[in-house]
Amino acid sequence: MEHRVTPSGVHVDDSGGTGPALVLVHGGFCDATHWRHQVGPLSAGGRRVVTLDLPGHGRSARPDSFAVGAMASAVLDVVHRSGAGGCVLVGHSYGSRIVLDAAVRDPAAVGGVVVVDGSRAGTRSDDGAVLAALRDKGADRFVTDLFEDMFVAESDPHVRSEILGALPESDEQKVAGIMSAIVEWDRDELDGVLARLTAPVLAIQSTSYGPDNRRRSLRSDSDRTPYLDLLEATLPAVSVQVVPGIGHFTMLEAPELVTSALAAFTSGI
């Protein structure tokens, strides 16, 4: 595994290998280690796997902006510097927005997109409520509560304990930057991005939000969410894999299934 750092301070790990690279993009307040169950098996099969810590996450330098477009530009910089054009971009949660945005910004560089447990927030009231809760709770409590809600009763308690125990220290500016970026992009950009997207897409989905605005696990292969409905109604080339009975961290709670889905999708690119 080769490790390098881009001029802007983004830390990258590259397995080498042949065929289209899989570039794995983690979610907000997370880091590249959340893909650890996928990297070994995929690279052992000869696939090239590139992981990175997004700007302001893990080992990477803090950026001026946490906007989705700025993050997408950082990911594309990694793609180009790695010579990984024609790659499959894989994004979880916040990362799902980033890979969709990147695929539209530079379609020639992206052969396919995988979104892992994506969703849509994105109204002005959402943004106001988020920022009010952040002011009320403080950054660390806000992030802890946010992550608590990412797990469901069926979640593996060891995964839950590990994720919650490894949450980084946060500050209000970073938390506000990431949360506002998600709401604003979902509200202002998602529809336009989907309308322009030409790459094939795989959506791996394990949760949705119930009427009480709490996360719930999906219950069967045929279960759908408003986000999946939007993708299927808008995209010309989308396939869906539902992973029932787990929480939001699909790649950690159902690692073999996610690895197999990524391998199968990439083999068709």
Side-chain angles (χ1 to χ4, degrees), residues 182-198:
I182 291 170
V183 171
E184 290 166 9
W185 190 86
D186 285 5
R187 182 188 67 219
D188 300 333
E189 304 294 338
L190 175 58
D191 290 320
V193 164
L194 294 180
R196 301 194 305 277
L197 187 63
T198 56

Side-chain angles (χ1 to χ4, degrees), residues 45-268:
R47 291 176 174 83
R48 183 181 182 189
V49 183
V50 178
T51 58
L52 63 139
D53 288 338
L54 287 168
H57 295 73
R59 303 157 292 176
S60 293
R62 185 158 176 149
D64 295 329
S65 170
F66 288 98
V68 169
M71 295 289 126
S73 293
V75 169
L76 288 169
D77 182 60
V78 169
V79 169
H80 291 298
R81 291 182 183 278
S82 303
C87 65
V88 173
L89 291 180
V90 183
H92 172 246
S93 196
Y94 176 46
S96 70
R97 284 105 172 152
I98 293 165
V99 299
L100 288 169
D101 196 270
V104 168
R105 284 172 181 266
D106 193 349
V110 181
V113 176
V114 182
V115 290
V116 180
D117 215 42
S119 62
R120 183 174 206 171
T123 68
R124 295 188 188 282
S125 60
D126 285 335
D127 202 13
V130 164
L131 296 179
L134 174 58
R135 288 191 299 270
D136 201 38
K137 296 180 178 183
D140 287 333
R141 182 73 253 169
F142 178 92
V143 173
T144 298
D145 288 351
L146 179 72
F147 273 68
E148 286 271 12
D149 189 53
M150 294 178 184
F151 296 95
V152 296
E154 300 90 340
S155 290
D156 183 330
H158 298 293
V159 173
R160 180 182 180 278
S161 176
E162 179 189 353
I163 294 294
L164 292 174
L167 287 176
E169 239 180 76
S170 295
D171 61 83
E172 192 166 318
Q173 185 182 31
K174 176 180 175 178
V175 177
I178 292 172
M179 298 307 296
S180 292
I182 291 170
V183 171
E184 290 166 9
W185 190 86
D186 285 5
R187 182 188 67 219
D188 300 333
E189 304 294 338
L190 175 58
D191 290 320
V193 164
L194 294 180
R196 301 194 305 277
L197 187 63
T198 56
V201 175
L202 169 64
I204 302 174
Q205 196 75 23
S206 52
T207 72
S208 185
Y209 287 97
D212 59 354
N213 208 31
R214 298 299 301 273
R215 196 179 294 273
R216 65 177 183 87
S217 58
L218 301 183
R219 293 301 177 188
S220 73
D221 293 344
S222 59
D223 211 350
R224 286 296 182 269
T225 73
Y227 179 73
L228 292 178
D229 290 342
L230 174 65
L231 298 186
E232 292 185 309
T234 309
L235 297 175
V238 60
S239 53
V240 171
Q241 181 151 0
V242 169
V243 187
I246 62 170
H248 181 53
F249 286 92
T250 324
M251 66 283 201
L252 292 168
E253 295 189 61
E256 295 87 359
L257 191 153
V258 171
T259 300
S260 296
L262 295 180
F265 182 72
T266 306
S267 67

